[in-house]
Each structure stands twice: as C-alpha cells, then as structure tokens.
Amino acid sequence: MDFLLDSLISSFMLVASLDRELFSVVAVSLKVSITSSLFASMIGMPFGFFVAIESFKGKRMLITCLNTLLALPTVVIGLFVYALISRRGIFGPFDLLYTQKAIIIGQTILIVPVVATFTIAAISRIDDRYRKTAMTLGANRFQTIFVIIREARFGIAAAVIAAFGRVVSEVGISMMLGGNARGFTRTMTTAMALEYDKGEFTLAVALGIILLSVSFGINLLFHFFQGRTGQ
Amino acid sequence: MTAYSLSQVTKVYGKKTVLDIDSLKIEKGAIYALLGPNGAGKTTLLKILGFLDYPTTGNIYFQSTPVTFSQGFLHPLRRKVVMVSQRPILFTTTVYKNLEFGLKIRKVPKKKRDRIIAESLDLVGMNHMVQAQAHKLSGGETQRVALARAVALSPDVILCDEPTSSVDLENQITIINLLRQINKEKKLTLVFTSHDKLQATSLAHQTLFLDQGRLATASYENLFTAVLTAKERGLAQCVIQNSLTLSISSDKTGKVRLLIDPEKIDIAKNVENRNRENHLQGKVVQVAQEKGKIRVVVKSGVYITLLLSLEKYSEVQPMVGETVHISIAPDAVKII
C-alpha cells in the first residue's frame, strides 16, 4: 500500500514539476494520436456516411466485417504494416519504419473501422424525416447531406472521440512500428511499458495519470457541448 | 388554371398496388381535402404530389408541364411545393434558423430573410419564439412553426399530411384557421389529408375520397367497415362499428365494407312510426352548402352524411345541435 501511495505522490510531483521528458512523451503521443484520428476521420466518416445512406448489395456483410475489424489486435496491424514498410516491404524505399509516420499509418488503419462503424450508427439513428424535410424545403443532394451530418454531429463527434481514445491508449502499433525511440517515437503507452520493465513506476504512473486526464478532459468537453444544445 | 393533372397514376410496392388513380385534376388556389381510411394511399399520393416519391406508372402535369421523375428535373419543382408531414420535424437549432434554411438555399438576401421570417412567424403567432430551440417546442407549436417554415418559402402548393392529428383540440382549431388564412392571403393551393370528415368538409373547397388506392366520388363518403350477421325478416343485420345496426338486402355474411348513399337518406324532425326499418335518431353537427345541395352531418353512433336538395332542406330546416330522425332505405346501402 505504501509503495502505491509513494508512487502516486512522486507521480503528481513529477507532473507538477513539468518534467521535460514526461512532457516530450506526452507531446509525441498526442501528436501521433491526433494526426491518426484526423486521417481516420477523413476516410472513415465519408465511408460510414455512404454505407449508412446508400442501399447496395452486401451492405449487411460489409457492416459485419467492419464490426469484426473493431476487435482487430494492434499487434496484427503492427505486423501487417511492418511487412509493408520494412526494408524488404513494397514501401521499404520510403524509409518509414521506426518513425512517427509509421505509427500514424498503423493507428489510422486501426481506427478507420471505429470511425466508420460509429458514423454508420450515428447516421442510421437520424430520423428519415430530416432528409425528407430538407428535400421538401428545396435542398439539393449536398445540402440534404449537410443537414443529416449536422443532425448527427454529436454521434459523429463521439466516433472521433472513441477513435482517439483507442489510439492514445494502444501499445502494439507504437512499439512495433515506432520502436520506442526516446524523444522521437516514445509515446505514453510505450514509455509506461518500458518504465514497468525497468521497475520504475513513478514515470509510468505519472503517464497513466496524464493519459486518464486527457481522456477525461475530452469526454468532459464533449458532454459540455452536448449539454449546451440539449441533445 | 390547373395546379396538378394526373392520369393513370399507380404506385406499386412489391406486389401491392397502393395507389391507382385514373384521373385527377387539382385546381390552382383551391383547398383540397384527401379523405380515406388508414392505408388508403393518402400519404403516398401526397408524397408523389410533393415530388418526394415517384409513381410506378402514369403521367403527372404540374402547372401544365409534364413531370419527369429524375433528380435534376424534380429539384426545381420541389422549390414550388412544400410538404408538411403528419409529425413535422424541426432541425435541432433555433426557430429562426429553421425558417432561414429554405430561404438561405434560395439565396434570399439577409434583410429580406429577416423580414419574411418575422412575417411568417407573425402569421402563425409564434413571433415571440423566434430564438427558441425548435426541438423544445410542444406538438402544436412545432406544427405551427412547420407551417410558418413552409409559408416563408412562398410556394405555389402546400401539402399537409394530417395537419391536426398530433395536436390538442385548441391547436387543431388554430391550425385549421391558419390553413384557411394562408390559402386566402397567399392564394396558394392547399392539399391536406385527414380522417376527420367534418374538419375536411368545413375547410376544403373540394373533398376527395381515397379507398384502397382508388379515388371515389365525393358523394361516397359514408364508408364504413361492418359485420353482417344472420338474416331477420329476409334482411341481413349489419352492425357498423359496434354502434349502429341496419337491416340491408345482402346474401353476404362476415366483415364487409359498405357505403351509404348520402342522397338516399331521408330526414325529418318528427316521425310517427319510430319502429320502422333503419330508423335512427341523431344530432345535427354540421350544415353546409355544397354544389347546389345541402350537406348535413348527423351523429348517430357514427357520423352519417346526408346530401339534401334545397327543397328538402327548406322543408325540414335542420339546425346544428338539433335532434333529427333519419331513415336509411335498405337499397341505399351498397357493399363494396
């Protein structure tokens, strides 16, 4: 019990002292997670929207596949992307392995299904009367799409938040494709794993506190906006 | 001038024909009521008139122009026709933004938008709610804002799907008066669906009746679902909606749909023989003039409409609220 308490106190002191190494790790982690979330949103949102509003053969099977991909282990993606970007892979000449770009690629692949499935759920929940109302008020196809997206904005925001939460807390891809290089590709989760291996719990717990605070802060912000519009 | 002209229009879902209209003309500037039971095809017809759905077969002319049901062709037409659905939905933003939506996409300048929004909300008595969150309004307020949103666009036609079905009595009266006022002031064509025969006939210039997707003539308005039971004195006993029993000539038994010809129902204030066949007593709830005849609606367990000649009306002079006696001849009832 003393051990846990000591670790917690030391961790809070480390956060309070604005430790340079600690914040370098946090900065790298946030940078790659935000970037991969943005890329995944750019791919997953339009894809999810298309799947939700269009009727086509194999739609249900596609949704089932996307749901299955939600449970894709990070190490499988790590291995797959490694095979593509290692020196012997087809993207080997781009020298991407053990860079932040490699982590971003892997994380984007990880969360595209998350953004897509959450977007499908958000759009599908929107009452069809919104589409018909927009049409009867004279909206063209794009204006109607804009209305639907606007009505589903909180569901879509939830998709991005869920995706960000998934990448900011993953270890496998960051470790396998980033290599945990200090000050360069070391993220919060890989740093925590390393500190654990070394038996140094202070930095690990401090990073854990920050990781939880980041997630809590984002969710708080989301609920704040939700509350304002009475959704 | 004709707003719509339909010929041989059908709508088929799977193997079921939900709409089958041989011919229909809707005159510009008039109010049309579309009556009929659930599943009669009223909403389907309204959606086709609103260019939100397409017919399976047939030709439609809108303002004398043939309608081609393709995306590019329909979009300009939709800007002339606005449909207000049975349970209208307002965008989750302010009342102002809801009204602004259609005007903005029509590129109406900001100053003019503000003026139109104020006028439209004033018309429906919702000016004080301009900045209110639309999704927090009551059913009646939502219906009124939806009407204002439609009126703001100055369409040629407004289509209302059961405009009073989801609001309380007070708001029903307000909405009916609003529809009448909008038609009068804006000179636009108004088509609305309803289950309420009284409301429909009091508001509309023309009443159309749809049954199983087909148009029936306006005089066929005493349409009921009934059960035919055993014969008594050679006549089948017909129980209408568990509240009215008539004796009719029919060999059928079980559940049927029947029409009572409103022109073949006799009316009197006092009768000597109250025990004769199909004699009913009821209260007059509506008296109105229609195409050289007088429409009298009597509540006697169910609402029964009578179409009287002017001579008959002068003779009996039924007044709203009065108790009258009506008798339905067995041959006035037709099984369909």
PDB file of all heavy atoms in Angstrom, chain A residues 168-187:
ATOM      1  N   VAL A 168      -4.833   6.545 -28.498  1.00  0.00           N
ATOM      2  CA  VAL A 168      -3.976   7.152 -27.483  1.00  0.00           C
ATOM      3  C   VAL A 168      -3.581   6.107 -26.419  1.00  0.00           C
ATOM      4  O   VAL A 168      -2.565   6.257 -25.740  1.00  0.00           O
ATOM      5  CB  VAL A 168      -4.661   8.411 -26.866  1.00  0.00           C
ATOM      6  CG1 VAL A 168      -5.633   8.055 -25.752  1.00  0.00           C
ATOM      7  CG2 VAL A 168      -3.610   9.401 -26.349  1.00  0.00           C
ATOM      8  N   SER A 169      -4.365   5.053 -26.336  1.00  0.00           N
ATOM      9  CA  SER A 169      -4.079   4.049 -25.307  1.00  0.00           C
ATOM     10  C   SER A 169      -3.502   2.747 -25.857  1.00  0.00           C
ATOM     11  O   SER A 169      -3.316   1.803 -25.113  1.00  0.00           O
ATOM     12  CB  SER A 169      -5.367   3.744 -24.523  1.00  0.00           C
ATOM     13  OG  SER A 169      -6.348   3.283 -25.429  1.00  0.00           O
ATOM     14  N   GLU A 170      -3.241   2.702 -27.179  1.00  0.00           N
ATOM     15  CA  GLU A 170      -2.722   1.442 -27.724  1.00  0.00           C
ATOM     16  C   GLU A 170      -1.193   1.358 -27.569  1.00  0.00           C
ATOM     17  O   GLU A 170      -0.503   2.375 -27.546  1.00  0.00           O
ATOM     18  CB  GLU A 170      -3.170   1.270 -29.179  1.00  0.00           C
ATOM     19  CG  GLU A 170      -2.522   2.201 -30.186  1.00  0.00           C
ATOM     20  CD  GLU A 170      -1.148   1.749 -30.612  1.00  0.00           C
ATOM     21  OE1 GLU A 170      -0.879   0.546 -30.540  1.00  0.00           O
ATOM     22  OE2 GLU A 170      -0.338   2.614 -30.994  1.00  0.00           O
ATOM     23  N   VAL A 171      -0.669   0.123 -27.488  1.00  0.00           N
ATOM     24  CA  VAL A 171       0.770  -0.067 -27.303  1.00  0.00           C
ATOM     25  C   VAL A 171       1.407  -0.771 -28.516  1.00  0.00           C
ATOM     26  O   VAL A 171       2.463  -0.368 -28.993  1.00  0.00           O
ATOM     27  CB  VAL A 171       1.062  -0.965 -26.063  1.00  0.00           C
ATOM     28  CG1 VAL A 171       2.532  -0.917 -25.682  1.00  0.00           C
ATOM     29  CG2 VAL A 171       0.197  -0.580 -24.887  1.00  0.00           C
ATOM     30  N   GLY A 172       0.697  -1.802 -29.009  1.00  0.00           N
ATOM     31  CA  GLY A 172       1.282  -2.691 -30.020  1.00  0.00           C
ATOM     32  C   GLY A 172       1.839  -1.980 -31.232  1.00  0.00           C
ATOM     33  O   GLY A 172       3.004  -2.179 -31.612  1.00  0.00           O
ATOM     34  N   ILE A 173       1.036  -1.130 -31.842  1.00  0.00           N
ATOM     35  CA  ILE A 173       1.470  -0.454 -33.078  1.00  0.00           C
ATOM     36  C   ILE A 173       2.620   0.498 -32.787  1.00  0.00           C
ATOM     37  O   ILE A 173       3.634   0.509 -33.501  1.00  0.00           O
ATOM     38  CB  ILE A 173       0.273   0.311 -33.707  1.00  0.00           C
ATOM     39  CG1 ILE A 173      -0.768  -0.689 -34.223  1.00  0.00           C
ATOM     40  CG2 ILE A 173       0.719   1.234 -34.817  1.00  0.00           C
ATOM     41  CD1 ILE A 173      -2.105  -0.067 -34.612  1.00  0.00           C
ATOM     42  N   SER A 174       2.473   1.282 -31.709  1.00  0.00           N
ATOM     43  CA  SER A 174       3.517   2.258 -31.375  1.00  0.00           C
ATOM     44  C   SER A 174       4.850   1.552 -31.118  1.00  0.00           C
ATOM     45  O   SER A 174       5.913   2.033 -31.542  1.00  0.00           O
ATOM     46  CB  SER A 174       3.121   3.058 -30.129  1.00  0.00           C
ATOM     47  OG  SER A 174       1.888   3.681 -30.346  1.00  0.00           O
ATOM     48  N   MET A 175       4.783   0.414 -30.455  1.00  0.00           N
ATOM     49  CA  MET A 175       6.011  -0.312 -30.118  1.00  0.00           C
ATOM     50  C   MET A 175       6.628  -0.947 -31.361  1.00  0.00           C
ATOM     51  O   MET A 175       7.822  -0.816 -31.623  1.00  0.00           O
ATOM     52  CB  MET A 175       5.681  -1.397 -29.073  1.00  0.00           C
ATOM     53  CG  MET A 175       6.879  -2.024 -28.419  1.00  0.00           C
ATOM     54  SD  MET A 175       7.733  -0.839 -27.359  1.00  0.00           S
ATOM     55  CE  MET A 175       6.951  -1.161 -25.791  1.00  0.00           C
ATOM     56  N   MET A 176       5.791  -1.630 -32.158  1.00  0.00           N
ATOM     57  CA  MET A 176       6.308  -2.387 -33.302  1.00  0.00           C
ATOM     58  C   MET A 176       6.742  -1.495 -34.457  1.00  0.00           C
ATOM     59  O   MET A 176       7.703  -1.785 -35.147  1.00  0.00           O
ATOM     60  CB  MET A 176       5.246  -3.373 -33.796  1.00  0.00           C
ATOM     61  CG  MET A 176       4.991  -4.499 -32.814  1.00  0.00           C
ATOM     62  SD  MET A 176       3.581  -5.482 -33.278  1.00  0.00           S
ATOM     63  CE  MET A 176       4.303  -6.512 -34.543  1.00  0.00           C
ATOM     64  N   LEU A 177       6.003  -0.406 -34.690  1.00  0.00           N
ATOM     65  CA  LEU A 177       6.315   0.440 -35.847  1.00  0.00           C
ATOM     66  C   LEU A 177       7.112   1.687 -35.465  1.00  0.00           C
ATOM     67  O   LEU A 177       7.786   2.278 -36.303  1.00  0.00           O
ATOM     68  CB  LEU A 177       5.023   0.877 -36.556  1.00  0.00           C
ATOM     69  CG  LEU A 177       4.120  -0.261 -37.039  1.00  0.00           C
ATOM     70  CD1 LEU A 177       2.833   0.289 -37.629  1.00  0.00           C
ATOM     71  CD2 LEU A 177       4.848  -1.117 -38.076  1.00  0.00           C
ATOM     72  N   GLY A 178       6.990   2.099 -34.176  1.00  0.00           N
ATOM     73  CA  GLY A 178       7.711   3.295 -33.735  1.00  0.00           C
ATOM     74  C   GLY A 178       9.057   2.959 -33.125  1.00  0.00           C
ATOM     75  O   GLY A 178      10.023   3.729 -33.238  1.00  0.00           O
ATOM     76  N   GLY A 179       9.124   1.814 -32.467  1.00  0.00           N
ATOM     77  CA  GLY A 179      10.400   1.372 -31.893  1.00  0.00           C
ATOM     78  C   GLY A 179      10.717   1.996 -30.555  1.00  0.00           C
ATOM     79  O   GLY A 179      11.791   1.759 -29.999  1.00  0.00           O
ATOM     80  N   ASN A 180       9.855   2.836 -30.015  1.00  0.00           N
ATOM     81  CA  ASN A 180      10.034   3.428 -28.686  1.00  0.00           C
ATOM     82  C   ASN A 180      11.339   4.216 -28.553  1.00  0.00           C
ATOM     83  O   ASN A 180      12.027   4.149 -27.542  1.00  0.00           O
ATOM     84  CB  ASN A 180       9.941   2.309 -27.625  1.00  0.00           C
ATOM     85  CG  ASN A 180       9.643   2.851 -26.236  1.00  0.00           C
ATOM     86  OD1 ASN A 180       9.169   3.978 -26.098  1.00  0.00           O
ATOM     87  ND2 ASN A 180       9.948   2.063 -25.214  1.00  0.00           N
ATOM     88  N   ALA A 181      11.677   4.972 -29.605  1.00  0.00           N
ATOM     89  CA  ALA A 181      12.913   5.771 -29.571  1.00  0.00           C
ATOM     90  C   ALA A 181      12.683   7.022 -28.741  1.00  0.00           C
ATOM     91  O   ALA A 181      11.744   7.782 -28.995  1.00  0.00           O
ATOM     92  CB  ALA A 181      13.327   6.152 -30.993  1.00  0.00           C
ATOM     93  N   ARG A 182      13.571   7.232 -27.732  1.00  0.00           N
ATOM     94  CA  ARG A 182      13.399   8.343 -26.776  1.00  0.00           C
ATOM     95  C   ARG A 182      13.353   9.716 -27.474  1.00  0.00           C
ATOM     96  O   ARG A 182      14.202  10.021 -28.302  1.00  0.00           O
ATOM     97  CB  ARG A 182      14.559   8.288 -25.788  1.00  0.00           C
ATOM     98  CG  ARG A 182      14.416   9.242 -24.650  1.00  0.00           C
ATOM     99  CD  ARG A 182      15.603   9.101 -23.734  1.00  0.00           C
ATOM    100  NE  ARG A 182      15.518   9.994 -22.614  1.00  0.00           N
ATOM    101  CZ  ARG A 182      16.458  10.103 -21.696  1.00  0.00           C
ATOM    102  NH1 ARG A 182      17.549   9.343 -21.782  1.00  0.00           N
ATOM    103  NH2 ARG A 182      16.333  10.932 -20.708  1.00  0.00           N
ATOM    104  N   GLY A 183      12.346  10.491 -27.138  1.00  0.00           N
ATOM    105  CA  GLY A 183      12.216  11.850 -27.688  1.00  0.00           C
ATOM    106  C   GLY A 183      11.775  11.878 -29.135  1.00  0.00           C
ATOM    107  O   GLY A 183      11.658  12.943 -29.738  1.00  0.00           O
ATOM    108  N   PHE A 184      11.528  10.732 -29.697  1.00  0.00           N
ATOM    109  CA  PHE A 184      11.199  10.704 -31.119  1.00  0.00           C
ATOM    110  C   PHE A 184       9.918   9.900 -31.395  1.00  0.00           C
ATOM    111  O   PHE A 184       8.953  10.428 -31.941  1.00  0.00           O
ATOM    112  CB  PHE A 184      12.394  10.134 -31.886  1.00  0.00           C
ATOM    113  CG  PHE A 184      12.227  10.186 -33.374  1.00  0.00           C
ATOM    114  CD1 PHE A 184      11.940  11.383 -34.025  1.00  0.00           C
ATOM    115  CD2 PHE A 184      12.358   9.034 -34.133  1.00  0.00           C
ATOM    116  CE1 PHE A 184      11.768  11.427 -35.395  1.00  0.00           C
ATOM    117  CE2 PHE A 184      12.189   9.070 -35.502  1.00  0.00           C
ATOM    118  CZ  PHE A 184      11.900  10.267 -36.142  1.00  0.00           C
ATOM    119  N   THR A 185       9.952   8.624 -30.997  1.00  0.00           N
ATOM    120  CA  THR A 185       8.736   7.810 -31.212  1.00  0.00           C
ATOM    121  C   THR A 185       8.227   7.208 -29.894  1.00  0.00           C
ATOM    122  O   THR A 185       7.412   6.297 -29.910  1.00  0.00           O
ATOM    123  CB  THR A 185       8.997   6.659 -32.205  1.00  0.00           C
ATOM    124  OG1 THR A 185      10.077   5.870 -31.715  1.00  0.00           O
ATOM    125  CG2 THR A 185       9.280   7.153 -33.599  1.00  0.00           C
ATOM    126  N   ARG A 186       8.724   7.743 -28.792  1.00  0.00           N
ATOM    127  CA  ARG A 186       8.269   7.207 -27.495  1.00  0.00           C
ATOM    128  C   ARG A 186       6.925   7.855 -27.138  1.00  0.00           C
ATOM    129  O   ARG A 186       6.843   9.070 -26.986  1.00  0.00           O
ATOM    130  CB  ARG A 186       9.300   7.469 -26.406  1.00  0.00           C
ATOM    131  CG  ARG A 186       8.901   6.867 -25.062  1.00  0.00           C
ATOM    132  CD  ARG A 186      10.065   6.817 -24.108  1.00  0.00           C
ATOM    133  NE  ARG A 186      11.105   5.899 -24.591  1.00  0.00           N
ATOM    134  CZ  ARG A 186      12.310   5.754 -24.032  1.00  0.00           C
ATOM    135  NH1 ARG A 186      12.632   6.453 -22.968  1.00  0.00           N
ATOM    136  NH2 ARG A 186      13.184   4.909 -24.533  1.00  0.00           N
ATOM    137  N   THR A 187       5.907   7.030 -27.030  1.00  0.00           N
ATOM    138  CA  THR A 187       4.566   7.543 -26.676  1.00  0.00           C
ATOM    139  C   THR A 187       4.288   7.233 -25.207  1.00  0.00           C
ATOM    140  O   THR A 187       5.080   6.534 -24.551  1.00  0.00           O
ATOM    141  CB  THR A 187       3.482   6.882 -27.549  1.00  0.00           C
ATOM    142  OG1 THR A 187       3.461   5.494 -27.255  1.00  0.00           O
ATOM    143  CG2 THR A 187       3.703   7.109 -29.027  1.00  0.00           C
TER     144      THR A 187
END
